[in-house]
mmCIF file of all heavy atoms in Angstrom:
data_model
loop_
_atom_site.group_PDB
_atom_site.id
_atom_site.type_symbol
_atom_site.label_atom_id
_atom_site.label_comp_id
_atom_site.label_asym_id
_atom_site.label_seq_id
_atom_site.Cartn_x
_atom_site.Cartn_y
_atom_site.Cartn_z
ATOM 1 N N ALA A 208 -19.251 8.959 -52.346
ATOM 2 C CA ALA A 208 -19.435 10.289 -51.737
ATOM 3 C C ALA A 208 -20.103 10.192 -50.364
ATOM 4 O O ALA A 208 -19.926 11.095 -49.533
ATOM 5 C CB ALA A 208 -20.272 11.177 -52.664
ATOM 6 N N THR A 209 -20.857 9.130 -50.114
ATOM 7 C CA THR A 209 -21.629 9.081 -48.857
ATOM 8 C C THR A 209 -21.493 7.774 -48.063
ATOM 9 O O THR A 209 -22.128 7.616 -47.022
ATOM 10 C CB THR A 209 -23.143 9.314 -49.144
ATOM 11 O OG1 THR A 209 -23.570 8.413 -50.170
ATOM 12 C CG2 THR A 209 -23.420 10.748 -49.565
ATOM 13 N N ILE A 210 -20.654 6.842 -48.521
ATOM 14 C CA ILE A 210 -20.543 5.544 -47.828
ATOM 15 C C ILE A 210 -20.181 5.729 -46.351
ATOM 16 O O ILE A 210 -20.743 5.085 -45.471
ATOM 17 C CB ILE A 210 -19.485 4.651 -48.523
ATOM 18 C CG1 ILE A 210 -20.040 4.112 -49.837
ATOM 19 C CG2 ILE A 210 -19.080 3.482 -47.632
ATOM 20 C CD1 ILE A 210 -19.042 3.301 -50.648
ATOM 21 N N LYS A 211 -19.263 6.631 -46.091
ATOM 22 C CA LYS A 211 -18.800 6.835 -44.712
ATOM 23 C C LYS A 211 -19.979 7.275 -43.839
ATOM 24 O O LYS A 211 -20.170 6.779 -42.733
ATOM 25 C CB LYS A 211 -17.704 7.912 -44.725
ATOM 26 C CG LYS A 211 -16.789 7.879 -43.549
ATOM 27 C CD LYS A 211 -15.566 8.701 -43.890
ATOM 28 C CE LYS A 211 -14.837 9.144 -42.667
ATOM 29 N NZ LYS A 211 -13.563 9.785 -42.991
ATOM 30 N N ASP A 212 -20.761 8.192 -44.360
ATOM 31 C CA ASP A 212 -21.934 8.664 -43.610
ATOM 32 C C ASP A 212 -22.960 7.545 -43.462
ATOM 33 O O ASP A 212 -23.600 7.418 -42.416
ATOM 34 C CB ASP A 212 -22.555 9.879 -44.326
ATOM 35 C CG ASP A 212 -23.699 10.470 -43.524
ATOM 36 O OD1 ASP A 212 -23.460 10.919 -42.378
ATOM 37 O OD2 ASP A 212 -24.843 10.447 -44.013
ATOM 38 N N SER A 213 -23.110 6.710 -44.494
ATOM 39 C CA SER A 213 -24.074 5.601 -44.410
ATOM 40 C C SER A 213 -23.714 4.658 -43.265
ATOM 41 O O SER A 213 -24.596 4.159 -42.564
ATOM 42 C CB SER A 213 -24.131 4.828 -45.728
ATOM 43 O OG SER A 213 -24.856 5.547 -46.686
ATOM 44 N N PHE A 214 -22.418 4.388 -43.102
ATOM 45 C CA PHE A 214 -22.016 3.490 -42.010
ATOM 46 C C PHE A 214 -22.315 4.088 -40.638
ATOM 47 O O PHE A 214 -22.503 3.358 -39.672
ATOM 48 C CB PHE A 214 -20.537 3.106 -42.128
ATOM 49 C CG PHE A 214 -20.329 1.860 -42.950
ATOM 50 C CD1 PHE A 214 -19.567 1.885 -44.106
ATOM 51 C CD2 PHE A 214 -20.906 0.652 -42.561
ATOM 52 C CE1 PHE A 214 -19.383 0.728 -44.862
ATOM 53 C CE2 PHE A 214 -20.720 -0.510 -43.312
ATOM 54 C CZ PHE A 214 -19.953 -0.467 -44.461
ATOM 55 N N LYS A 215 -22.382 5.427 -40.545
ATOM 56 C CA LYS A 215 -22.759 6.049 -39.256
ATOM 57 C C LYS A 215 -24.213 5.747 -38.929
ATOM 58 O O LYS A 215 -24.655 5.927 -37.804
ATOM 59 C CB LYS A 215 -22.561 7.566 -39.326
ATOM 60 C CG LYS A 215 -21.107 7.968 -39.404
ATOM 61 C CD LYS A 215 -20.962 9.470 -39.360
ATOM 62 C CE LYS A 215 -19.493 9.840 -39.533
ATOM 63 N NZ LYS A 215 -19.289 11.078 -40.231
ATOM 64 N N HIS A 216 -24.965 5.323 -39.952
ATOM 65 C CA HIS A 216 -26.393 5.033 -39.758
ATOM 66 C C HIS A 216 -26.676 3.548 -39.970
ATOM 67 O O HIS A 216 -27.771 3.173 -40.367
ATOM 68 C CB HIS A 216 -27.224 5.883 -40.722
ATOM 69 C CG HIS A 216 -27.100 7.348 -40.443
ATOM 70 N ND1 HIS A 216 -27.913 8.002 -39.547
ATOM 71 C CD2 HIS A 216 -26.214 8.264 -40.895
ATOM 72 C CE1 HIS A 216 -27.549 9.270 -39.475
ATOM 73 N NE2 HIS A 216 -26.522 9.463 -40.285
ATOM 74 N N THR A 217 -25.642 2.722 -39.753
ATOM 75 C CA THR A 217 -25.795 1.266 -39.919
ATOM 76 C C THR A 217 -25.648 0.594 -38.560
ATOM 77 O O THR A 217 -24.695 0.888 -37.816
ATOM 78 C CB THR A 217 -24.719 0.720 -40.882
ATOM 79 O OG1 THR A 217 -24.809 1.455 -42.105
ATOM 80 C CG2 THR A 217 -24.921 -0.752 -41.176
ATOM 81 N N ASN A 218 -26.555 -0.282 -38.224
ATOM 82 C CA ASN A 218 -26.484 -1.009 -36.953
ATOM 83 C C ASN A 218 -25.261 -1.932 -36.930
ATOM 84 O O ASN A 218 -24.802 -2.368 -37.996
ATOM 85 C CB ASN A 218 -27.755 -1.854 -36.751
ATOM 86 C CG ASN A 218 -28.937 -0.995 -36.363
ATOM 87 O OD1 ASN A 218 -28.782 -0.004 -35.649
ATOM 88 N ND2 ASN A 218 -30.119 -1.354 -36.845
ATOM 89 N N PRO A 219 -24.742 -2.262 -35.734
ATOM 90 C CA PRO A 219 -23.645 -3.231 -35.658
ATOM 91 C C PRO A 219 -24.010 -4.513 -36.399
ATOM 92 O O PRO A 219 -25.143 -4.985 -36.314
ATOM 93 C CB PRO A 219 -23.512 -3.488 -34.146
ATOM 94 C CG PRO A 219 -24.054 -2.256 -33.495
ATOM 95 C CD PRO A 219 -25.158 -1.761 -34.407
#
Side-chain angles (χ1 to χ4, degrees):
T209 52
I210 286 176
K211 202 164 159 172
D212 185 61
S213 284
F214 270 120
K215 291 184 184 147
H216 296 272
T217 305
N218 285 325

